[in-house]
Amino acid sequence: MPKRRDILAIVLIVLPWTLLITVWHQSAIAPFLAIRKACHHLVKEIFIIPERLAVHHHRLSDEGGEGRREAGGQDSKEYCASDKDIVEVVRTEYVYTRPPPWSDVLPTIHIITPTYSRPVQKAELTRIANTFLHVPNLHWILIEDSQRRTPLVTSLLRETGLNYTHLNVETPKNFKVRGDTRDPRIPRGTMQRNLALRWLRETFKNNNSQPGIVYFADDDNSYSLELFEEMRSTRKVSVWPVAFVGGLRYESPKVNAAGKVYGWKTVFDPHRPFAIDMAGFAINLKLILAKPQAYFKLRGVKGGYQESSLLRELVTLNDLEPKAANCTKILVWHTRTEKPVLVNEGKKGFTDPNMEI
Amino acid sequence: MTARMKLKLKTVFVLYFMVSLMGLIYALMQLGQHCDCAEHDLPKDRAISRLQEELYRLQGQIRQLEKAKQPEKKQPPKSSLSTIFVITPTYARLVQKAELTRLSQTFLHVPQLHWILVEDSPRKTPLVSNFLMKCGLTYTHLNVPTAKERKLQEGDPSWLKPRGVEQRNEGLRWLREDRKTEPGDDGQQGVVYFADDDNTYSLQLFEEMRSTQRVSIWPVGLVGGMKFESPVVEGGKVVRFHTGWRPSRPFPMDMAGFAVSLRLVLANPDACFDGEAPMGFLESSLLKGLVTVDELEPKADNCTKVLVWHTRTEKPKMKREEALQVQGLGSDPAVEV
């Protein structure tokens, strides 16, 4: 008899807890999943890509249109051998404003780019501007490492038609020289990025309601358009893999089954607090404004620790949001442009110095 | 004694039961706080409906713009602009996808552009095929492998052997074949431009080249060991070339510095690049069969502006990757870079 009572008691005690745990798990997760999927689907439909617009265009003007193939279709003409298949796809022309019209719904992406004068500067800024012209609600903050704003950059920015802010701050000369171990070195671009952060904090002090994302983009990297749509949904700090950094094909955060970052897949010092490249994360503007003391550390920063010097003041590992399909896709490449060999210029300079390149 | 023990046991059980019941109620309250999350759901729902409104609005805009353009054009596919055929040779290497991505982002801004991408490969690679499908451009995907003796080996300097010759010739061949099927004068209108996948192009360049009658030329930045190479224009004609390297060439210019009208390409079906030509004479090997220096059309404000730069991308350092791969710990090859 006591045995049965004991069993009954144990059952009575255990039952509510098991019920609780199962009900809790289910109800906590399911609604979130549903909403995220719906949002994601809509995001894809609106923003990704001119391709979608092209498809729409085709459907709308279908009355007299010829039978051109839609996006994703293939027209293969066979010649002799099968590996000589020629693939030709024709898309209907689409109407496109440059940059895309401003939307009241999308969070603004503030892109902070430090730049400095060198022969490839105009080329780099031109092609990165061509990329940015595709992204809606983009605000480009370009900071020159110079005493005065150069006319080259000023006129380039004006001609692109982008929404921009042009700043400048000169890194003191003895801090620019690398390789001189006696002088404390400021990593390149630090003062410029800090100036941009300060500008953001001063400009958006009162207007706290405008949603925004802050991204640090160097002028020689390569970005896919999908990246900007991934970062738009950042709540605190989002991260993703970056190609060609750390001497690897790509570096990426380690993401566990629950979708949380728990480590870093790198060879170069994976024990850094944030072993990630400048191009591998984006921060919500609210977080920047909420922590007004957070800046990149200027001096005494070991190589590779610059990103950590800012991020550790903003967020913990647990708060990071992995993007790019749980950090499995590469959407940004850390390309570097070769320094052009200008041997034929000679000492006096062969070409017309007035010609802007 | 046992009665008291039993009593104690009973109270213990009762206490435990009460505690767990309290805990359950507390937890249910927590779940009830989930109603707060339901409040979060509401803004999310609102965001979704706002995004949907935005989508419909943009669609409406497209429809309006489409209607505005309708009276100008007779039929949507035919445009008054002549098509620019861009022939780009490409080959597989680490930075290939990055280069093609940012190149396509520039091309997407240019109306009436037809991209002819020719791979240096015996078969079309899935990386390029998938990339082209998603890029949103009008394209033709070709491939032709370079013969082994003509190919640059690992460690060769980039100027040792001419690159992209077979691929550009294949692009020309396809273009000539394709235009045979398009009768009429409209099919002959167009401009052919040879664009390498690592250069940088400004959008104005494409508008300058659209009006090419025979062969047009312009300065190219960061090439020939100088800040820029350029033709020298006097009285609207090219009189000589400003270059620091072998100015005695018939056409001392870079591949990115000229465009040929489609009509001229079709009128000279044998004109193509000569792979055996000495270094730096590749462009001349094509142009000397098409045009004389006197007939060249200078663009870019009489060749005073640089609208294209011969940038080159560094080869990324893979020492750590190679070391890891020896150990069998290399990064996941399934992830496309």
Side-chain angles (χ1 to χ4, degrees):
Chain A
M1 278 283 276
K3 269 193 187 164
R4 232 188 269 168
R5 273 178 83 185
D6 287 357
I7 294 169
L8 188 66
I10 291 168
V11 165
L12 275 175
I13 291 167
V14 169
L15 190 67
W17 290 103
T18 49
L19 272 174
L20 179 69
I21 292 168
T22 47
V23 169
W24 178 288
H25 246 271
Q26 272 193 1
S27 53
I29 296 184
F32 279 120
L33 274 180
I35 301 240
R36 278 180 86 198
K37 270 191 192 150
C39 266
H40 201 69
H41 169 75
L42 259 175
V43 165
K44 273 208 160 103
E45 207 175 287
I46 301 174
F47 313 127
I48 291 179
I49 324 161
E51 182 186 339
R52 274 285 176 170
L53 291 177
V55 173
H56 258 293
H57 177 105
H58 172 81
R59 282 205 202 111
L60 291 168
S61 66
D62 216 353
E63 310 87 358
E66 299 158 12
R68 299 270 180 175
R69 292 306 190 96
E70 266 197 10
Q74 277 191 32
D75 215 352
S76 65
K77 300 175 190 169
E78 299 246 337
Y79 283 85
C80 312
S82 58
D83 63 347
K84 276 283 183 184
D85 263 350
I86 294 176
V87 179
E88 180 186 359
V89 174
V90 180
R91 294 189 204 283
T92 51
E93 185 184 340
Y94 56 85
V95 177
Y96 191 143
T97 53
R98 196 166 73 212
W102 197 267
S103 150
D104 292 322
V105 191
L106 296 177
T108 307
I109 298 183
H110 302 276
I111 304 221
I112 297 179
T113 302
T115 184
Y116 65 103
S117 281
R118 74 265 198 208
V120 296
Q121 180 187 36
K122 192 176 182 193
E124 301 281 42
L125 293 179
T126 302
R127 63 178 162 185
I128 209 175
N130 286 341
T131 301
F132 291 160
L133 280 167
H134 288 290
V135 185
N137 281 41
L138 184 142
H139 175 217
W140 196 16
I141 306 174
L142 190 58
I143 313 101
E144 292 196 70
D145 186 348
S146 67
Q147 227 175 34
R148 252 174 298 271
R149 287 177 218 168
T150 57
L152 186 150
V153 176
T154 312
S155 53
L156 186 143
L157 282 174
R158 202 178 38 229
E159 277 167 20
T160 58
L162 282 167
N163 178 15
Y164 69 88
T165 297
H166 187 185
L167 307 168
N168 70 298
V169 64
E170 191 177 23
T171 313
K173 279 201 175 50
N174 40 339
F175 296 135
K176 267 195 217 176
V177 176
R178 282 165 157 249
D180 191 345
T181 48
R182 280 173 293 159
D183 284 339
R185 289 176 286 150
I186 299 183
R188 171 171 277 161
T190 313
M191 286 188 70
Q192 287 73 31
R193 294 187 189 102
N194 281 345
L195 178 68
L197 286 175
R198 208 181 76 194
W199 182 91
L200 279 170
R201 285 170 176 138
E202 281 169 10
T203 313
F204 291 96
K205 224 182 347 193
N206 305 318
N207 206 352
N208 217 352
S209 57
Q210 251 180 12
I213 313 286
V214 177
Y215 182 54
F216 298 97
D218 289 341
D219 57 9
D220 54 0
N221 291 347
S222 308
Y223 308 92
S224 78
L225 300 178
E226 217 184 312
L227 176 74
F228 300 104
E229 301 319 319
E230 289 277 314
M231 71 169 76
R232 244 188 253 271
S233 54
T234 304
R235 283 195 301 257
K236 288 195 167 178
V237 174
S238 53
V239 293
W240 48 78
V242 180
F244 311 139
V245 281
L248 296 172
R249 280 171 75 236
Y250 64 91
E251 267 186 1
S252 114
K254 284 193 204 165
V255 181
N256 63 17
K260 290 271 178 204
V261 176
Y262 67 94
W264 309 96
K265 231 186 281 180
T266 79
V267 167
F268 172 65
D269 206 345
H271 301 294
R272 291 174 272 168
F274 294 90
I276 196 168
D277 181 78
M278 198 66 75
F281 64 91
I283 312 173
N284 193 319
L285 183 62
K286 280 201 174 57
L287 192 58
I288 302 273
L289 300 175
K291 307 253 171 105
Q293 309 305 319
Y295 282 99
F296 287 102
K297 199 158 168 232
L298 278 180
R299 282 181 250 177
V301 182
K302 267 206 300 181
Y305 280 78
Q306 214 202 357
E307 295 82 5
S308 306
S309 73
L310 174 73
L311 287 173
R312 66 158 190 257
E313 298 186 40
L314 291 171
V315 83
T316 61
L317 213 65
N318 198 35
D319 288 330
L320 294 175
E321 301 150 46
K323 299 284 174 192
N326 259 351
C327 294
T328 55
K329 290 206 298 189
I330 308 286
L331 302 174
V332 55
W333 299 263
H334 194 276
T335 43
R336 293 167 56 85
T337 307
E338 269 184 25
K339 197 170 160 191
V341 173
L342 299 178
V343 282
N344 284 334
E345 288 284 348
K347 288 217 178 96
K348 289 192 196 156
F350 187 71
T351 50
D352 180 4
N354 292 323
M355 188 109 127
E356 192 183 81
I357 52 149
Chain B
M1 259 283 261
T2 45
R4 224 200 285 165
M5 270 185 75
K6 255 194 182 168
L7 208 68
K8 255 197 182 163
L9 208 62
K10 210 175 187 177
T11 48
V12 165
F13 266 123
V14 168
L15 267 170
Y16 195 167
F17 196 66
M18 295 305 288
V19 165
S20 53
L21 205 68
M22 302 292 245
L24 185 71
I25 294 169
Y26 174 70
L28 278 173
M29 302 282 268
Q30 286 277 343
L31 271 181
Q33 256 185 37
H34 179 250
C35 284
D36 279 280
C37 302
E39 272 167 10
H40 282 304
D41 288 352
L42 268 174
K44 283 205 167 91
D45 276 327
R46 263 185 257 135
I48 290 177
S49 48
R50 264 185 307 166
L51 288 170
Q52 268 180 335
E53 272 176 47
E54 187 73 13
L55 174 68
Y56 296 143
R57 190 174 68 80
L58 287 170
Q59 285 178 359
Q61 258 185 16
I62 294 171
R63 252 175 258 139
Q64 276 176 15
L65 286 165
E66 178 55 14
K67 280 195 197 130
K69 267 224 169 183
Q70 280 272 347
E72 289 175 24
K73 291 197 266 186
K74 286 175 260 164
Q75 271 201 348
K78 286 221 157 67
S79 170
S80 52
L81 291 172
S82 53
T83 307
I84 300 180
F85 294 92
V86 180
I87 299 181
T88 301
T90 184
Y91 65 104
R93 73 266 198 209
L94 283 168
V95 294
Q96 181 186 37
K97 194 178 179 190
E99 301 281 45
L100 292 178
T101 302
R102 54 183 175 181
L103 192 63
S104 69
Q105 284 160 359
T106 296
F107 289 162
L108 273 168
H109 289 296
V110 185
Q112 283 297 102
L113 184 144
H114 186 131
W115 198 14
I116 303 171
L117 190 58
V118 194
E119 289 196 72
D120 183 350
S121 152
R123 254 169 299 278
K124 293 184 172 50
T125 59
L127 185 147
V128 175
S129 307
N130 293 333
F131 163 77
L132 283 173
M133 275 198 282
K134 288 189 265 185
C135 71
L137 289 164
T138 303
Y139 69 88
T140 297
H141 186 185
L142 307 170
N143 67 297
V144 62
T146 311
K148 251 211 159 139
E149 12 356 304
R150 295 254 188 102
K151 245 194 149 150
L152 278 178
Q153 302 305 321
E154 191 72 32
D156 277 346
S158 62
W159 43 261
L160 194 64
K161 292 172 195 157
R163 288 189 301 177
V165 178
E166 280 88 344
Q167 286 74 38
R168 293 189 190 98
N169 286 339
E170 172 69 12
L172 286 171
R173 189 203 61 78
W174 177 87
L175 198 52
R176 287 171 175 136
E177 280 283 334
D178 185 73
R179 293 292 110 178
K180 279 196 199 143
T181 66
E182 295 251 359
D185 200 46
D186 273 339
Q188 314 281 312
Q189 223 193 0
V191 184
V192 179
Y193 182 53
F194 299 97
D196 289 342
D197 59 8
D198 55 358
N199 291 345
T200 304
Y201 308 92
S202 77
L203 300 179
Q204 206 191 340
L205 177 74
F206 297 102
E207 299 321 310
E208 294 273 321
M209 71 169 75
R210 239 186 256 274
S211 54
T212 305
Q213 297 300 312
R214 301 181 71 89
V215 175
S216 54
I217 46 157
W218 46 77
V220 179
L222 310 173
V223 72
M226 303 204 301
K227 282 204 199 134
F228 63 90
E229 257 184 6
S230 155
V232 177
V233 175
E234 274 166 28
K237 291 254 176 239
V238 175
V239 290
R240 62 177 182 279
F241 292 91
H242 176 93
T243 164
W245 188 76
R246 289 216 193 159
S248 57
R249 293 177 277 165
F251 292 92
M253 58 170 70
D254 182 76
M255 197 67 70
F258 67 92
V260 188
S261 81
L262 182 60
R263 223 177 281 271
L264 204 58
V265 168
L266 298 176
N268 297 290
D270 295 322
C272 61
F273 291 100
D274 182 8
E276 304 290 333
M279 191 175 68
F281 283 76
L282 200 61
E283 296 83 5
S284 309
S285 70
L286 174 75
L287 289 173
K288 68 176 190 272
L290 290 174
V291 78
T292 63
V293 174
D294 198 52
E295 291 169 332
L296 292 172
E297 300 151 50
K299 300 285 174 190
D301 257 0
N302 268 343
C303 294
T304 54
K305 290 208 257 173
V306 174
L307 300 173
V308 56
W309 298 262
H310 193 274
T311 45
R312 292 171 55 84
T313 305
E314 271 183 22
K315 196 172 160 191
K317 298 195 185 78
M318 289 286 125
K319 285 214 184 101
R320 292 207 181 95
E321 180 75 44
E322 284 152 19
L324 278 182
Q325 284 192 354
V326 163
Q327 296 172 26
L329 294 168
S331 54
D332 187 358
V335 175
E336 192 181 77
V337 165

